[in-house]
Amino acid sequence: MLRFVAREAGRLALGLIGAALLAAAIAGLALPHAEDGLFSFLFAWGRTLDAFVSLDFGRSAISGEGAFADVWQRLPLTLGLVGEGFAIALVVGIPVGLLFGAGPARRAASPIIQIVSAAPIFCAGLALAWAVANLLGWPVTLDSGIKSDLALWPRDPAQLQALLLPVLTVGLAGAAAAQLALRRAGAEASGEAWRVELRRLGLTAWDIETGHVMPRLIAGLLAGLGEVMLALLSAAAVAEWVFNYAGAADLFVKSVALHDWAVVAPVLFAFAALTLIAEFVGRVAAHPLSDRGGAP
C-alpha cells in the first residue's frame, strides 16, 4: 500500500509540475515580443517560470489588475459551486449508477443514459431555467453580459432561488460522470470469472453482490474521481456563463476569448491541480477496496 501511495504521489507531483510548465508557457504569451519567434517565446517562458515561484502571474491585459488577485477573488464562487454540485452528484449519481450497474438494467438503460449524458451541459442549464420559470414561476435571468455575485449560503428564498439553478446544473453534470464510472465498474465486474467460483463455494447472489461486487463499484467510482471533478469544473464554467455569475470558470472562458493569457494561466493551473488532486485521492482510496473486492 505504501509503495502504491508513493507511486501515486510521484504521479501527482509530475502532473503538477507539468501543469505549472503549461501555465507558465501560456502566461509567457502575455509578455512583449513573446510571439516574435521560438527564442523569444522560450525567454518569456523562463521569465514566467521564475515569477511563478512567488505567485506572480503578471497583470491582466483587460482590467490592469494583478492576475493572481483577480483569480483569487473569483475562485471561491467556483469552488463553492463545485463543492455543492459534488454533493448533488453523489446523491443523484450513486443511486442511478448502482441501479443501472446491474446486468439486465445496464443493457436496457444504456442507450437512454448515453443519449442523456451526451447532451451539452448548457442545454441542461437552459432546460432547468425553463422548467423553473414556467412551472414554479421563479424569476430567471439568463446571460445578459452583466455578472453578479452568488450567495453560496442563502439566507432568504431569493438567494436560494438564485443558487438552485447553477448548483443543479453543476451537480447533474457530476452525477453523469459518477454514474458512468459506476456503470463501467459494474460492466467489468459482471464478466469476472470469480463469480462462478463464489457460487460454487455456496455464496448467494446477495452475498456476492454486497461482499465482492459492491467494493469494486465503490472503487470504480473513487478511481474516476478525477473525471467527476473535471465534469464539475466544466459545468461550473457553463453555469456561471448562463446564469450571470462572476466566478473563476467564467473568467477563464472570457480571458481565453480576449487572449488575456496572464489570467488564463493561474485559472488553468488551479483547475488542473484540483483535478489531479482529486484523481490522486480517489485512486489511493480505491486501491484497498479493489483488493478486497476481488476473488477470495
Side-chain angles (χ1 to χ4, degrees):
M1 181 64 183
L2 291 178
R3 182 179 300 177
F4 178 80
V5 173
R7 185 169 65 247
E8 291 301 316
R11 292 180 67 244
L12 173 62
L14 290 175
L16 292 175
I17 291 173
L21 291 174
L22 177 60
I26 293 174
L29 296 174
L31 297 181
H33 309 295
E35 300 180 2
D36 290 348
L38 179 61
F39 180 79
S40 298
F41 172 74
L42 292 176
F43 179 74
W45 190 9
R47 287 182 57 189
T48 53
L49 274 175
D50 182 64
F52 271 23
V53 177
S54 58
L55 297 180
D56 181 10
F57 294 90
R59 306 188 74 81
S60 169
I62 307 302
S63 65
E65 302 292 332
F68 181 78
D70 203 2
V71 173
W72 186 257
Q73 181 180 3
R74 300 192 182 204
L75 192 58
L77 191 150
T78 299
L79 294 181
L81 281 179
V82 169
E84 294 177 357
F86 181 71
I88 293 179
L90 295 181
V91 170
V92 177
I94 290 180
V96 172
L98 293 177
L99 177 63
F100 296 120
R106 183 178 65 252
R107 289 190 293 271
S110 180
I112 298 176
I113 291 179
Q114 288 178 357
I115 293 174
V116 173
S117 299
I121 300 172
F122 76 88
C123 291
L126 293 176
L128 287 172
W130 182 89
V132 166
N134 290 273
L135 301 180
L136 299 179
W138 291 1
V140 177
T141 303
L142 298 180
D143 185 33
S144 61
I146 302 175
K147 304 297 180 180
S148 59
D149 291 327
L150 180 64
L152 294 172
W153 302 103
R155 298 180 179 178
D156 56 65
Q159 291 180 342
L160 177 61
Q161 292 174 7
L163 177 66
L164 182 62
L165 289 178
V167 168
L168 279 178
T169 302
V170 175
L172 291 179
Q179 64 83 24
L180 178 60
L182 285 168
R183 288 196 303 116
R184 186 166 56 229
E188 294 175 357
S190 65
E192 294 288 352
W194 46 259
R195 282 177 173 269
V196 178
E197 299 297 328
L198 291 174
R199 291 193 188 97
R200 291 175 179 173
L201 291 174
L203 272 71
T204 64
W206 174 257
D207 293 333
I208 295 174
E209 293 296 326
T210 56
H212 297 273
V213 176
M214 185 60 70
R216 289 214 168 194
L217 296 181
I218 298 174
L221 175 61
L222 291 171
L225 200 57
E227 298 177 6
V228 175
M229 178 60 70
L230 188 59
L232 292 170
L233 291 170
S234 301
V238 175
E240 290 174 9
W241 172 68
V242 170
F243 299 110
N244 297 299
Y245 296 114
D250 174 77
L251 179 65
F252 176 79
V253 175
K254 182 180 70 174
S255 299
V256 170
L258 298 177
H259 295 181
D260 192 0
W261 305 120
V263 174
V264 171
V267 178
L268 179 64
F269 178 76
F271 286 2
L274 288 172
T275 304
L276 291 169
I277 292 172
E279 182 179 13
F280 167 75
V281 172
R283 286 175 62 86
V284 170
H287 184 66
L289 291 174
S290 298
D291 290 343
R292 197 183 73 177

